[in-house]
Amino acid sequence: MPCPANSTGSHLPPLPFQAYAPPRPPDVVRAAYVFAAEHPEILSYVPCFCGCERSGHKGNKDCFVARRDAAGDVVEWEPHGLDCAVCLDVARDA
């Protein structure tokens, strides 16, 4: 499946590989990652409630995006969001 384009027209990297089923349907997982990529201004202010702040996450965007380039495009995903129903639900509700 091709990478979805973000609002600036550049392509997002493929989602991290997962050998088992995520805690939410794949379309919900994909939508959360795309939303995090396209709307960091929202998810950076939304806290997560799963305890991931102990790993350095400052907002829900950190559950999905690990690194961006100088232009702000996602170059590396955070795999934590694949496994965490709480993170996915917070992003979905945002």
Side-chain angles (χ1 to χ4, degrees):
M1 180 167 133
C3 300
N6 68 24
S7 58
T8 63
S10 61
H11 292 298
L12 298 173
L15 290 180
F17 173 76
Q18 186 172 355
Y20 48 89
R24 298 291 179 257
D27 59 325
V28 171
V29 173
R30 188 176 306 106
Y33 273 88
V34 171
F35 188 80
E38 294 180 348
H39 299 285
E41 76 283 2
I42 295 172
L43 292 187
S44 63
Y45 293 103
V46 177
C48 191
F49 305 100
C50 77
C52 61
E53 72 278 357
R54 291 184 297 257
S55 299
H57 292 183
K58 297 183 183 350
N60 189 242
K61 72 171 180 62
D62 296 333
C63 302
F64 304 100
V65 176
R67 193 167 51 90
R68 293 177 181 270
D69 63 16
D73 293 324
V74 174
V75 293
E76 182 181 353
W77 295 117
E78 167 59 55
H80 175 75
L82 288 173
D83 298 323
C84 185
V86 173
C87 295
L88 291 164
D89 291 348
V90 168
R92 182 193 61 216
D93 291 346

